[in-house]
Amino acid sequence: MALLDVENLSIAFGGVKAVQNVSFSVEKGIVYSVIGPNGAGKTTLFNLITGVYTPSEGEIRLDGNSIAGAAPHELALRGMARTFQNLQVCMNMSALENVMVGAHLKLDRNLIKAMLRFPSLARRDDQLRDEARELMRFVGLEAYWNLGANSMPYGALKRLEIARALAAKPRILFLDEPAAGLNSKETAEIDELVQKVAESGITVVLVEHDMKMVMNISDRILVLDYGKKLAEGTAQEVRDNPDVIAAYLGSTV
Amino acid sequence: MNMLRRHKPLLILAAVLLCLPLVLPNNFYYDIAIRMAINAIIVLGLNLLIGFAGQISLGHAGFIGIGAYASAILPTHFNWHPLLAMVAGAVGASVVAAIVARPIFRLKGHYLAMATLGLGIIIAIVIKNEATYTGGPDGMPVPALGIGSFSINGEKQWYWVLAALLLFSFWASRNLIDSPFGRALRALHGSEVASQVMGVDVVRYKVAIFILSAFFASLMGSVTAHYIGFVTPNIADFFHSIELVTMVVVGGMASIYGSLIGAVLLTALPQALSTFEGWETVVFGSILIFCMIFMPRGLVPTLAERFGGRGEDA
Amino acid sequence: MSQFLQFLFSGITVGATYALAALGFTLIYNASNVINFAQGEFIMLGGMLVFFFLQAGLPMPVAIFLAIAIPAIVGMLIEKFTIEPAREADVVTLIIITIGVSLVIRGVIQVWLGKGTHSYPAFSGNDPILIGGATLLPQSLWVLGITALVVVALWYFFSRTLAGKAILATSCNPLAAQLVGVNTQWVLLVSFALSAALGAIGGVLLTPITLTSYDVGIMLGLKGFVAVVVGGLGSGLGAVVGGLLVGIIEAMAAGYISSAYKDAVPFILILVILFFLPRGIFGAKVTERV
């Protein structure tokens, strides 16, 4: 059974059908990429799967259980994590705290214990601080661990989102254009990071424009165009698909 | 070492509170210090809601009114023990907050401001109108707070009670902010969608912090009522709510120290302005406007940044 | 029946003033996304200024003109000196700024004209008109007539004149409006002046019926805002209908249930509406995008 199953997923905003009848499944442990031109519906697809939008039609299953229409925080509980194309870092907190929020569901969230700072809670928090710092090192942000998120450069914030998502110890991680706006050196580093994440056993679903990176690291690729599925398969299959070449890759590959 | 660093602000506050009586010349100044402490505790709670969680309440005086009148009415008319009445008031305020909170916090911005404001006004109107119990616009006396034959009397005793309460609130607020609960609260302010995706049930957290701040506002309403020994509907009115919000924003949103400073400054202000008979409202309004335009983050965070400290450490 | 009519008359009279205040809120909100919590102070200014100028010996028409023109100027000053410098601020900050403005206006009037309650004679006498057993004050007709005129004039302004369309364009998309040559700063100034004038007109008309004092602004303004929310934020028609509805419901509740809780009625109404119809009756449905 696939980890994630998407069946005939659709959503319309007013009259615009941003995603139409899209179906695909993601096996456990792979890197699955979603590509397509701007406005093809990639981010909308992510928003649907992670519960930010409610689908107009269709079914989404995680481990065979229906999750369509569930709230984002319920999906987090089931092992989903994601990053955002347009940064959603909490600028009112430090970098380290942002990562710590990622572990939210793994912690004792009791209000009274927090106010009275129960020793168990304090110990766990100290431990978490170390883990979060370790995660920041993992994504290459050790230099920033003591800073406020609002004093970090753009490229670092993109990694911070990844570290925060990893802190949740997800089973499936959705990365929405992790390399957008980065230069080629930074892109290569992100490329490497995504592979490291995948090797650690987390299933990765990736939206990305950088074709080199996508072809490099994806086990399977879904091509969207105007909100519809254009093709799906391995990098080679997608590369050779005449529809894809015509619609999208024709000019770049 | 870490322990010492962590508790340094608390120790400083304790030292200030301990030494203050040495320089307070008479009961008039004790009285001001007590009022400052009361406001500071309410503002700490309100700042958790406004500054840290990013949700406005323009009706908090309503909760203070619930506490104050519970402490006045229940012992007077029903012979309840004052402590029990105080707890009942705080629980009552929390229940009111809990009932309205879920629908209210699905709203944002203007609507949230309006809904909380409406709630506060309704509470104030009820207090004014139920004269059989509340004494109506004239108010009513409040019995002394005590256990057995001992009761808290006079400014000096009250000072120590409030010093202890303030220290506790300060300590608990700092703990809360630096906890999984507090981080979730700040995260939903920073990015609601990101915090949801990380598993934060945002409405639940907004509701929880609203109830908590209502609970403390009500407790302090009871304390105020017992301390003054008399309560009038003014304690619950819109202007009082605005005063409290002003303390939060002038001192600094999302700043624990800011709450203290805001409460101290704006409690002292009317005393300082007593020479300007009648102009208090104008000065108060001007301060609000001026602060919001020129230092929207408030006094403490702005100064902390100017002098090199870290904003969120406050 | 005659009792019902009586309550209805007093409801729509007050409701018309709420409608004017609500239109003021809507104008400013549409032009700048600001909810001007000082809106009620313009109502108070209208009544108090007419009283002051009459006392100073000016004839009624001049007093009325000044009592509308001065708040309009005050409105522009508010925009220029408190809203414009904080253009980029968030909702909470802007709300607090306008609350500050409201305190300043109220405080100045309190110091200048005192805490007393004032009134002045109705425009055309106090001989009540009998309709179906209920009495209607001539001043009520003034309130309703002028309000209707104002609503028609506003409709004409926004749908038939270039200036009105420029304001609408700015509220729709300020940047695009700027690009096609609309002076958006001017639009903001006009919106504030206009909405202040609307509030003042309401105050001028209503005062002979309800009396006025330095502190009536907050409650009247808040009820105007309730009307806005009832009608749906941003909708002009909604503001008018909301205003009348709030006035009528308030009057009915005062008459049939409890006059002591008259002032609480709009706020109970608003909580109920926000719980069940968060976008009001005429508000647009918006999908939030991430």
Side-chain angles (χ1 to χ4, degrees):
Chain A
M1 185 176 56
L3 178 60
L4 179 73
D5 261 312
V6 173
E7 232 171 72
N8 292 323
L9 198 62
S10 303
I11 188 172
F13 295 108
V16 185
K17 291 182 172 155
V19 170
Q20 267 185 78
N21 287 319
V22 172
S23 304
F24 63 95
S25 34
V26 179
E27 297 296 328
K28 199 166 181 302
I30 67 168
V31 175
Y32 191 98
S33 290
V34 182
I35 62 170
N38 279 328
K42 303 179 300 281
T43 297
T44 307
L45 181 67
F46 265 31
N47 282 339
L48 284 168
I49 299 175
T50 55
V52 177
Y53 295 161
T54 308
S56 319
E57 275 171 64
E59 186 55 272
I60 310 165
R61 279 187 295 268
L62 191 67
D63 293 323
N65 302 315
S66 172
I67 54 164
H73 67 262
E74 292 162 358
L75 297 174
L77 209 55
R78 291 165 179 260
M80 241 187 216
R82 73 171 284 187
T83 66
F84 295 86
Q85 180 190 354
N86 51 342
L87 288 172
Q88 292 286 346
V89 173
C90 303
M91 295 299 181
N92 54 339
M93 299 166 80
S94 76
L96 194 73
E97 284 173 331
N98 264 284
V99 181
M100 289 166 84
V101 170
H104 178 71
L105 290 171
K106 308 270 183 275
L107 304 171
D108 187 346
R109 306 181 293 279
N110 187 299
L111 172 62
I112 309 288
K113 285 189 194 168
M115 284 177 69
L116 302 178
R117 199 168 170 83
F118 273 36
S120 61
L121 187 137
R123 260 197 312 277
R124 179 70 189 93
D125 240 31
D126 289 340
Q127 195 188 340
L128 174 66
R129 212 170 287 273
D130 294 338
E131 289 168 18
R133 208 170 153 180
E134 186 50 47
L135 267 176
M136 286 184 71
R137 188 170 301 133
F138 181 75
V139 300
L141 289 178
E142 59 269 53
Y144 297 101
W145 78 274
N146 203 15
L147 286 183
N150 56 4
S151 51
M152 288 167 73
Y154 178 80
L157 291 172
K158 297 239 54 144
R159 289 152 180 272
L160 186 65
E161 283 211 347
I162 299 178
R164 181 174 68 186
L166 288 175
K169 301 204 168 67
R171 292 188 300 148
I172 182 163
L173 174 60
F174 293 80
L175 299 173
D176 195 351
E177 300 202 22
L182 302 184
N183 63 31
S184 59
K185 179 171 162 285
E186 290 169 323
T187 303
E189 286 167 6
I190 289 279
D191 191 348
E192 205 177 298
L193 177 59
V194 173
Q195 294 203 40
K196 265 198 321 191
V197 170
E199 279 159 21
S200 71
I202 298 171
T203 308
V204 176
V205 184
L206 177 73
V207 165
E208 188 47 69
H209 272 300
D210 189 88
M211 276 311 124
K212 207 171 119 238
M213 173 170 166
V214 169
M215 293 299 166
N216 228 348
I217 63 178
S218 313
D219 295 299
R220 288 188 81 77
I221 297 173
L222 168 72
V223 189
L224 287 183
D225 196 22
Y226 295 108
K228 292 186 193 150
K229 175 162 139 184
L230 192 65
E232 206 237 359
T234 62
Q236 193 60 44
E237 286 165 8
V238 164
R239 214 194 310 252
D240 295 343
N241 186 312
D243 290 344
V244 176
I245 295 169
Y248 182 60
L249 290 177
S251 55
T252 48
V253 175
Chain B
M1 183 58 212
N2 201 9
M3 278 298 270
L4 189 68
R5 233 198 93 202
R6 180 171 184 85
H7 292 297
K8 201 172 106 189
L10 192 70
L11 294 173
I12 293 174
L13 180 64
V16 170
L17 290 170
L18 268 174
C19 297
L20 208 53
L22 300 176
V23 293
L24 290 177
N26 55 38
N27 279 350
F28 174 74
Y29 287 93
Y30 269 98
D31 176 64
I32 294 175
I34 290 165
R35 286 167 197 268
M36 284 173 177
I38 290 174
N39 283 332
I41 296 169
I42 299 169
V43 170
L44 274 171
L46 195 55
N47 206 346
L48 289 175
L49 179 74
I50 297 180
F52 288 98
Q55 311 298 313
I56 196 166
S57 167
L58 295 180
H60 241 58
F63 298 124
I64 300 173
I66 291 179
Y69 275 90
S71 287
I73 294 169
L74 296 176
T76 310
H77 293 291
F78 303 96
N79 263 323
W80 286 38
H81 190 280
L83 278 177
L84 193 61
M86 185 186 275
V87 173
V91 171
S94 308
V95 169
V96 171
I99 291 171
V100 296
R102 272 222 164 243
I104 279 186
F105 283 107
R106 274 186 290 148
L107 309 169
K108 280 185 185 149
H110 310 302
Y111 292 106
L112 180 61
M114 190 62 219
T116 50
L117 191 158
L119 178 68
I121 289 185
I122 291 170
I123 296 172
I125 291 175
V126 171
I127 290 173
K128 243 176 243 159
N129 281 330
E130 295 304 317
T132 355
Y133 290 113
T134 63
D138 297 333
M140 67 184 289
V142 185
L145 178 63
I147 302 167
S149 60
F150 174 79
S151 67
I152 308 171
N153 277 314
E155 280 82 355
K156 292 202 170 71
Q157 284 180 15
W158 275 105
Y159 175 85
W160 293 113
V161 171
L162 278 149
L165 286 175
L166 180 60
L167 267 180
F168 171 78
S169 312
F170 184 81
W171 175 74
S173 305
R174 276 178 57 94
N175 286 345
L176 185 65
I177 284 154
D178 195 17
S179 75
F181 185 100
R183 283 193 299 272
L185 213 55
R186 289 145 69 203
L188 74 86
H189 186 194
S191 163
E192 196 153 320
V193 64
S195 65
Q196 281 174 325
V197 165
M198 302 320 327
V200 178
D201 181 349
V202 293
V203 173
R204 236 191 95 199
Y205 278 79
K206 291 176 186 174
V207 169
I209 200 65
F210 185 61
I211 294 174
L212 183 82
S213 66
F215 183 89
F216 280 103
S218 172
L219 278 187
M220 294 323 289
S222 294
V223 168
T224 312
H226 283 301
Y227 165 64
I228 298 176
F230 199 85
V231 58
T232 67
N234 286 347
I235 198 167
D237 77 4
F238 177 61
F239 190 72
H240 191 199
S241 291
I242 297 306
E243 269 183 318
L244 294 168
V245 172
T246 310
M247 291 177 188
V248 171
V249 300
V250 169
M253 291 196 240
S255 164
I256 297 278
Y257 299 107
S259 300
L260 296 185
I261 301 295
V264 165
L265 286 181
L266 287 162
T267 311
L269 187 72
Q271 318 295 334
L273 289 179
S274 51
T275 42
F276 296 93
E277 185 63 31
W279 288 95
E280 296 95 338
T281 324
V282 178
V283 175
F284 224 84
S286 310
I287 289 176
L288 266 187
I289 300 170
F290 193 82
C291 254
M292 286 297 92
I293 293 175
F294 296 106
M295 42 172 210
R297 294 172 56 213
L299 208 55
V300 171
T302 306
L303 291 180
E305 190 164 273
R306 167 91 34 105
F307 296 108
R310 268 183 48 208
E312 67 264 18
D313 217 40
Chain C
M1 187 59 205
S2 67
Q3 206 184 19
F4 175 82
L5 263 185
Q6 191 65 63
F7 297 149
L8 188 68
F9 288 160
S10 71
I12 43 178
T13 306
V14 185
T17 312
Y18 298 161
L20 287 176
L23 279 172
F25 276 115
T26 307
L27 265 176
I28 290 183
Y29 177 76
N30 280 345
S32 65
N33 270 318
V34 173
I35 290 292
N36 176 24
F37 274 81
Q39 186 66 31
E41 305 308 325
F42 298 133
I43 307 180
M44 179 273 287
L45 275 181
M48 290 297 273
L49 288 175
V50 170
F51 162 77
F52 169 77
F53 287 124
L54 285 179
Q55 275 222 319
L58 294 180
M60 185 67 118
V62 180
I64 290 177
F65 171 76
L66 287 174
I68 296 169
I70 291 174
I73 294 167
V74 171
M76 288 199 266
L77 293 176
I78 292 172
E79 198 283 322
K80 191 79 203 154
F81 293 107
T82 70
I83 303 299
E84 224 175 88
R87 280 307 299 153
E88 301 305 317
D90 59 11
V91 175
V92 173
T93 308
L94 286 167
I95 288 176
I96 295 170
I97 289 178
T98 60
I99 288 174
V101 168
S102 135
L103 293 180
V104 171
I105 296 177
R106 170 193 159 129
V108 167
I109 294 297
Q110 180 199 329
V111 174
W112 180 34
L113 298 175
K115 288 190 174 184
T117 301
H118 305 292
S119 189
Y120 42 83
F123 298 171
S124 48
N126 283 318
D127 301 334
I129 306 156
L130 270 167
I131 301 172
T135 56
L136 184 63
L137 290 172
Q139 187 69 20
S140 289
L141 290 178
W142 276 102
V143 174
L144 294 174
I146 303 274
T147 304
L149 262 179
V150 166
V151 170
V152 171
L154 277 179
W155 169 80
Y156 182 83
F157 176 69
F158 280 110
S159 61
R160 294 285 183 275
T161 68
L162 195 61
K165 285 179 183 169
I167 294 183
L168 282 185
T170 307
S171 73
C172 218
N173 185 336
L175 188 64
Q178 216 164 8
L179 287 175
V180 297
V182 175
N183 181 346
T184 51
Q185 278 203 358
W186 170 86
V187 165
L188 281 175
L189 277 176
V190 170
S191 305
F192 270 81
L194 212 52
S195 84
L198 285 177
I201 291 173
V204 167
L205 293 168
L206 193 65
T207 299
I209 303 175
T210 60
L211 315 182
T212 191
S213 63
Y214 77 103
D215 59 356
V216 298
I218 288 185
M219 210 35 131
L220 286 170
L222 291 178
K223 288 177 182 172
F225 188 48
V226 171
V228 170
V229 179
V230 169
L233 197 52
S235 153
L237 174 67
V240 175
V241 176
L244 293 174
L245 218 55
V246 170
I248 293 169
I249 293 174
E250 182 184 293
M252 294 294 164
Y256 288 115
I257 303 170
S258 153
S259 63
Y261 282 98
K262 175 171 93 60
D263 282 339
V265 171
F267 299 100
I268 295 169
L269 183 68
I270 190 126
L271 286 178
V272 171
I273 293 227
L274 287 177
F275 290 177
F276 297 110
L277 271 178
R279 296 184 202 293
I281 298 169
F282 294 88
K285 195 170 158 24
V286 197
T287 313
E288 238 174 279
R289 304 206 65 173
V290 181

